[in-house]
């Protein structure tokens, strides 16, 4: 099926967070952030430990599960531990996976504006992304959209 006949959702379409004020894993105060940074380091070490050749069956099972995150899983963006100079990305790259899917890279309004600005743009040139949605904080609005990245589940 070509992209012109495929109907992808628009960015953030039907994506909503959940009120999680009782979930201390998603706290954003200084104490919670310190705990989160410790968990990021531990999760990165655990992931690295599963990246071995000829793994034991239990390690292979853990790797398979970690590389197949599902909505509701505690997840981390694979580059998060290396973003030491970007605390915002460290915070937003750790949380509860709401969903991941193929969707348009731009909204219908943004695409219409692009087409209006450049009459040579063809309809079948519209890009789509594989987007990840992660709730990183306790409120419904604390949801980050990620593209061009890799997430893994953190065993809990």
């Amino acid at each position: 099926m070509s992209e012109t006949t495929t109907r992808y959702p628009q960015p953030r379409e039907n994506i909503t967070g959940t009120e999680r004020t009782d979930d201390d894993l998603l706290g954003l105060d200084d104490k919670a952030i310190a705990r989160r940074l410790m968990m990021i380091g531990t999760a990165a070490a655990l992931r690295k430990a599963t990246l071995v050749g000829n793994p034991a069956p239990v390690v292979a099972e853990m790797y398979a599960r970690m590389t197949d995150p599902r909505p509701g899983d505690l997840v981390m963006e694979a580059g998060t531990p290396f973003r030491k100079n970007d605390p915002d990305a460290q915070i937003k790259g750790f949380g509860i996976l709401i969903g991941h899917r193929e969707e348009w890279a731009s909204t219908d309004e943004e695409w219409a504006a692009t087409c209006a600005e450049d009459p040579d743009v063809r309809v079948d040139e519209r890009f789509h992304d594989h987007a990840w949605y992660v709730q990183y904080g306790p409120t419904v609005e604390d949801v980050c959209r990620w593209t061009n990245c890799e997430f893994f589940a953190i065993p809990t």
Side-chain angles (χ1 to χ4, degrees), residues 92-145:
K92 293 179 179 177
F94 175 91
I96 305 297
L97 180 63
I98 295 173
H100 58 106
R101 65 187 185 186
E102 294 294 321
E103 65 184 19
W104 292 122
S106 58
T107 65
D108 289 344
E109 293 79 19
E110 292 167 339
W111 180 244
T114 298
C115 292
E117 289 174 16
D118 186 354
D120 293 331
V121 171
R122 297 187 341 242
V123 172
D124 63 346
E125 292 178 336
R126 187 171 183 184
F127 293 107
H128 58 94
D129 284 327
H130 186 86
W132 298 82
Y133 289 93
V134 174
Q135 182 164 350
Y136 61 88
T139 68
V140 173
E141 297 82 22
D142 294 332
V143 175
C144 188
R145 176 182 186 260

Side-chain angles (χ1 to χ4, degrees), residues 49-60:
T50 67
L51 300 175
V52 296
N54 203 17
V58 69
V59 175

Side-chain angles (χ1 to χ4, degrees), residues 16-37:
T16 56
T18 304
E19 193 67 30
R20 296 178 181 268
T21 51
D22 294 334
D23 191 343
D24 68 339
L25 282 176
L26 300 182
L28 295 175
D29 60 36
D30 289 343
K31 188 174 179 183
I33 295 296
R35 198 170 44 249
R36 179 184 299 230
L37 292 174

